[in-house]
Amino acid sequence: MHTEIAPPANFIRQIVEDDLHSGKHKTVVTRFPPEPNGYLHIGHAKSIWLNFSLAQAFGGVCHLRMDDTNPLKEDAEYVEAIKRDVRWLGFDWGDKEYHAADYFQEFYDCAVQLIKLGKAYVCDLSADEVREYRGTLTEPGRPSPWRERSVEENLELLSRMKNGDFADGTRTLRAKIDMASPNINLRDPAIYRIRKAHHHRAGDAWCIYPMYDYAHCISDSIEGITHSICTLEFENHRPLYDWFLDTLELPVHPQQIEFSKLKLQYTMLGKRKLREMVEGGLVAGWDDPRMPTLAGLRRRGYTPEAIRDLCEKVGVTKSEVWTELSYLSECVRNDLNTKAHRVMGVLRPLKLVLTNYPEGQIEELDAAYFPEDVGLPGSRKVPFGRELFIEQEDFMENPPKKYFRLQPGAEVRLRRAYIIKCQEVIKNEAGEVVEVHCTYDPDTKSGGSGEHRKVKGTIHWVEATTSVTAEVRLYEELFTVEQPDNIKDGDFRDFLNPHSLVVLEARLERSLFPSKVGDRFQFERQGFFIKDLDSTAEKPVFNRIVPLKDGWAKVLQKQ
RNA sequence: UGCCCAGUAGCCAAGUGGUAAGGCAACGGUCUCUGAAUCCGUCAUUCGUAGGUUCGAUCCCUACCUGGGCAGCCA
C-alpha cells in the first residue's frame, strides 16, 4: 500500500483545511502581491512559496497581483523582473495576473459609497497637522475640524480632488473611524492622497491614488481571495482591513492571516539598503551573486528547488527568527548532490611532475560523472600526463598530524588515476614550493588490477597541457554581522565582509571547456560551481555556489 | 508609557491538559579512489520567569521579564 507523506503542517494550512471542512470555502484562492518598486529577494521567496504551494495543495489558485498604488515609487521595469523571478522559482499563475491599478475605478466607487454612508470625509489638514491631531501612542487623537462635512460637500470635494483641482498634499480623503482608538491605524486613516503623477500603468487618468490599507482589502475582495496572507507588520492593520470590508458592500470578505518573514543571518533584506548597495557600487548589480535577490541567488547558482526546500523546512510561524545560513547551504548541497556532474578543477594550482612517466604521453582515463551512491550514469575521458597541477593545499612539506595528502616521501592517490610518491620539492629563491616531483606506480591505475592498493589520501588534479585556465569566483557572506538589517551604531557599510568575493585563476579539466552558461558542476573536494555569464570563448568563469563540507578544516580547528 | 504579537536545544520547528516529533548544526562511529555523500548512534528530566487552577500544566489563568511591530498623504 502506498502511504502518502503528509505535507508539512503549519497554522495557515490548518486554517485553510478547517475552512474547507466547515464549508466556509469551496476552494482556495491566494495571492502574491508584490509592489513593483524593486527586485524580489529570498524573503519574498517564502511568501511566493507559501501562497502558491498552499493553493496548489488544495487544488486552488494563486494570483499574481502587482500592488501598484503609488506612482512615485513604482516602475514597469520591475514588473517584468518580478514575473521572471516568480517563474524561475517554479510557480505559475496562469492567466491570473492582476494589477491593483486596474481597480482604480472600483476603489473610487467604494470611496463614494463610504462618503454616502457617512464613513469618510475630505480633510483639509496638512500632513503635519494630521500628525498633530493623531495623538501619540499613549494619548488619543483629536477629531479633524473637517470631520463633519456634509455628504454633498464631501462628494463634491472628492470629485474635484480626482479631477486635479487641488494641489498635491492639500487634502486627503479619510475614513471616519475612531480618533481615540488605541490602534493608531484606526484613527481616521487616509484613503486617498492627491498625487498629480504619471502612473506606469494607469497613465495620467488619476490625480488621486489610494492608500495600501484601503486598496489591498478591496483588491482581495474583487479577486475573490479566500485567504490573504501577509507578514507580521500588518497585524495591527487587520482591524482596518476588516473595517473596510465590513462597511463596504463587497461580495466576499477574505481572511487576513499574518506570518513572520524569512530572515537569514548575515543577510540584509531591507529594500532601500539593497538599492543603496547596487547604486553605491558596493556590489556589481541586482544580480551580483552575493546579493539575496532572487536574481542574485540565481546567478550564484542556487536552484529553485533548494530555495523551496528551505521555505518548507523552516516552516511557517509567527515567531520572528533569524535562520542560520547553514540551513540554506545544506538545502543547496542536498539538491545539487544528485544533479551536478563530478569534475576536477584545481583552484590554486601547484605544478607536479611525474619523473617516471613518459614525456609527451597522454592517456585518457575513464571518469564517471557520479559516485556510486548517487547511482546516475554518464562518464567522460580525462587526459593524464607527465605534468599535472594539484591543489596547493594538498601538498605540505611539514604537515600537521593526520594530514593524509601529499608530503615528502609519502604516497597519495591521484583521483581516478595512479598512486604517486613524492620524491623531491622544488623551491624558488623565496623558499616557496613551486613544483613537486613524484614517481607514479603504473600498477595502481584506477580500474586496473592493482587499483585496490590502499593509501590514506586521494587528491584531485588536472593535466597541465590540456586543462583550461578559468576565472573562479569564491563567495562568502556580504556582511560580518549576524543581523545587518539591525545595526544599531554605525552604517551597514562599516560591516561589509572584505572577503565576500575572492577571484582565482584556476585550471579545470578539458571537459569543462564546452560547458554552457548556467551549467552546474561539483568540482570534487571543493564545492559546487556554476558557469557564469561573464564567460568568454577564451576564458570560462565559474561561480562557487557553495563549498563542500570540510572535515579536514574541523580536524585542524581542534588541533 | 498605550495597543498588538511572539518566546519549546546553538539555529528552525511539532506538540496545546496525561508526561517533549522532525530538520539544520554539533559530536562519536561506519564506509569511502571526493577528509564530500552514505549509514549508524548521541544530543531538552524540561518548554522565558514567578505564582495560581488541576489528580496531573509546554498547553488554562494572572503578573512579570525579554524580543518584535505600530504615531507615512509608504507598502
Side-chain angles (χ1 to χ4, degrees):
Chain A
M1 200 178 105
H2 178 72
T3 316
E4 278 289 315
I5 295 167
N10 63 61
F11 77 99
I12 297 181
R13 185 181 283 265
Q14 191 60 56
I15 291 172
V16 172
E17 218 170 275
D18 293 348
D19 287 348
L20 256 18
H21 270 135
S22 72
K24 179 179 177 186
H25 296 295
K26 296 234 169 356
T27 179
V28 184
V29 185
T30 57
R31 101 269 91 113
F32 173 61
E35 184 188 16
N37 71 339
Y39 280 72
L40 260 27
H41 56 62
I42 192 162
H44 297 112
K46 180 164 178 182
S47 181
I48 296 168
W49 164 82
L50 214 205
N51 279 291
F52 277 93
S53 66
L54 193 63
Q56 238 164 48
F58 294 100
V61 292
C62 180
H63 298 181
L64 176 63
R65 178 165 77 229
M66 298 301 156
D67 208 355
D68 48 2
T69 53
N70 186 350
L72 267 27
K73 293 192 169 180
E74 296 141 10
D75 205 298
E77 131 184 33
Y78 295 118
V79 174
E80 286 315 306
I82 287 169
K83 284 155 72 172
R84 186 192 57 217
D85 287 344
V86 173
R87 246 181 246 120
W88 174 74
L89 245 200
F91 297 105
D92 179 14
W93 56 92
D95 60 351
K96 305 294 185 190
E97 178 184 336
Y98 299 103
H99 297 255
D102 293 348
Y103 307 141
F104 279 172
Q105 186 59 48
E106 283 90 333
F107 297 153
Y108 188 80
D109 294 343
C110 283
V112 169
Q113 201 185 132
L114 281 177
I115 290 174
K116 288 180 177 167
L117 255 19
K119 299 288 192 181
Y121 62 95
V122 173
C123 180
D124 297 4
L125 256 27
S126 70
D128 284 343
E129 290 167 327
V130 168
R131 192 171 13 258
E132 261 180 63
Y133 275 80
R134 188 158 33 223
T136 68
L137 294 177
T138 52
E139 302 160 281
R142 293 143 38 218
S144 160
W146 311 100
R147 201 169 195 257
E148 301 305 332
R149 285 220 250 234
S150 70
V151 170
E152 293 67 33
E153 191 184 0
N154 280 322
L155 253 17
E156 163 76 12
L157 253 17
L158 177 64
S159 165
R160 293 182 60 197
M161 281 167 65
K162 168 188 183 258
N163 294 332
D165 287 357
F166 308 117
D168 284 15
T170 54
R171 275 171 236 260
T172 53
L173 180 71
R174 294 223 259 161
K176 192 192 281 187
I177 308 180
D178 178 8
M179 287 307 291
S181 172
N183 182 342
I184 291 181
N185 295 125
L186 263 21
R187 317 239 265 232
D188 289 11
I191 292 175
Y192 270 107
R193 73 283 216 189
I194 301 173
R195 285 250 199 293
K196 291 177 183 166
H198 180 81
H199 189 279
H200 73 92
R201 188 171 176 91
D204 299 306
W206 297 84
C207 294
I208 54 172
Y209 290 93
M211 300 292 293
Y212 166 85
D213 286 309
Y214 176 69
H216 203 91
C217 56
I218 298 176
S219 304
D220 282 347
S221 181
I222 290 172
E223 292 179 18
I225 301 299
T226 56
H227 303 269
S228 179
I229 300 167
C230 62
T231 44
L232 254 24
E233 67 267 33
F234 293 104
E235 219 162 7
N236 293 335
H237 295 239
R238 189 172 357 115
L240 186 50
Y241 185 100
D242 290 333
W243 186 89
F244 280 126
L245 293 184
D246 286 341
T247 308
L248 261 1
E249 282 175 34
L250 260 7
V252 292
H253 188 145
Q255 180 183 2
Q256 175 179 308
I257 308 167
E258 311 84 16
F259 74 102
S260 67
K261 49 175 71 156
L262 173 67
K263 291 184 293 186
L264 293 175
Q265 293 184 348
Y266 301 99
T267 306
M268 191 175 71
L269 294 179
K271 259 189 181 177
R272 201 197 77 242
K273 288 185 225 165
L274 286 179
R275 184 187 311 283
E276 282 175 43
M277 296 283 294
V278 173
E279 287 169 359
L282 270 21
V283 291
W286 285 105
D287 70 340
D288 186 301
R290 293 167 293 182
M291 289 285 275
T293 50
L294 294 186
L297 297 173
R298 174 167 56 232
R299 185 162 177 191
R300 170 76 166 263
Y302 286 24
T303 58
E305 290 86 344
I307 293 170
R308 283 189 253 128
D309 190 30
L310 177 76
C311 292
E312 214 164 292
K313 280 181 167 144
V314 297
V316 180
T317 66
K318 297 183 75 160
S319 44
E320 292 225 22
V321 293
W322 296 81
T323 298
E324 289 180 343
L325 247 17
S326 66
Y327 221 148
L328 210 209
S329 315
E330 192 45 30
C331 290
V332 176
R333 284 190 205 102
N334 188 44
D335 184 36
L336 260 19
N337 183 43
T338 54
K339 289 181 178 169
H341 283 173
R342 268 58 166 181
V343 296
M344 292 195 284
V346 174
L347 268 30
R348 296 177 177 83
L350 169 65
K351 191 158 195 185
L352 184 146
V353 179
L354 298 175
T355 51
N356 61 338
Y357 195 89
E359 260 179 86
Q361 178 178 314
I362 296 284
E363 62 181 307
E364 302 280 336
L365 304 174
D366 285 316
Y369 274 134
F370 290 102
E372 254 177 73
D373 65 301
V374 173
L376 261 19
S379 68
R380 80 289 185 189
K381 297 283 187 186
V382 179
F384 182 85
R386 179 182 164 94
E387 295 197 352
L388 311 170
F389 290 111
I390 63 166
E391 209 69 65
Q392 282 172 22
E393 60 178 22
D394 284 341
F395 173 82
M396 282 187 92
E397 202 174 10
N398 300 297
K401 284 193 183 87
K402 292 187 184 165
Y403 184 84
F404 304 144
R405 285 113 96 146
L406 198 61
Q407 50 193 292
E411 282 190 323
V412 80
R413 174 170 285 281
L414 291 178
R415 177 118 168 107
R416 297 175 164 134
Y418 300 91
I419 291 174
I420 61 169
K421 184 171 190 175
C422 177
Q423 307 290 0
E424 192 184 357
V425 182
I426 316 292
K427 296 181 186 177
N428 62 14
E429 285 163 10
E432 299 156 341
V433 177
V434 292
E435 209 171 296
V436 180
H437 285 9
C438 299
T439 49
Y440 85 114
D441 179 349
D443 294 333
T444 57
K445 182 173 175 177
S446 296
S449 56
E451 76 164 348
H452 297 301
R453 220 186 104 199
K454 298 287 181 198
V455 286
K456 216 48 167 144
T458 299
I459 64 175
H460 61 277
W461 52 274
V462 113
E463 196 277 324
T465 61
T466 55
S467 56
V468 185
T469 298
E471 178 173 325
V472 163
R473 299 170 180 171
L474 307 183
Y475 298 105
E476 280 179 19
E477 43 271 38
L478 257 175
F479 294 93
T480 55
V481 285
E482 265 186 25
Q483 305 181 4
D485 272 311
N486 265 3
I487 292 165
K488 294 280 185 273
D489 35 29
D491 189 275
F492 68 84
R493 275 162 271 248
D494 302 335
F495 299 92
L496 285 168
N497 175 7
H499 310 295
S500 63
L501 169 63
V502 173
V503 178
L504 262 27
E505 180 114 314
R507 304 284 299 201
L508 311 179
E509 65 168 77
R510 184 189 58 189
S511 76
L512 266 318
F513 198 70
S515 58
K516 299 192 299 291
V517 168
D519 283 352
R520 297 183 181 87
F521 300 91
Q522 183 193 107
F523 293 179
E524 287 185 295
R525 302 210 308 133
Q526 291 289 170
F528 292 99
F529 293 77
I530 185 169
K531 189 165 181 177
D532 188 79
L533 72 234
D534 281 347
S535 298
T536 63
E538 302 77 44
K539 191 177 195 181
V541 176
F542 282 88
N543 300 328
R544 184 171 69 188
I545 305 166
V546 63
L548 252 31
K549 283 184 190 165
D550 189 350
W552 173 237
K554 286 179 190 170
V555 174
L556 281 182
Q557 248 173 37
K558 276 178 250 171
Q559 282 182 0

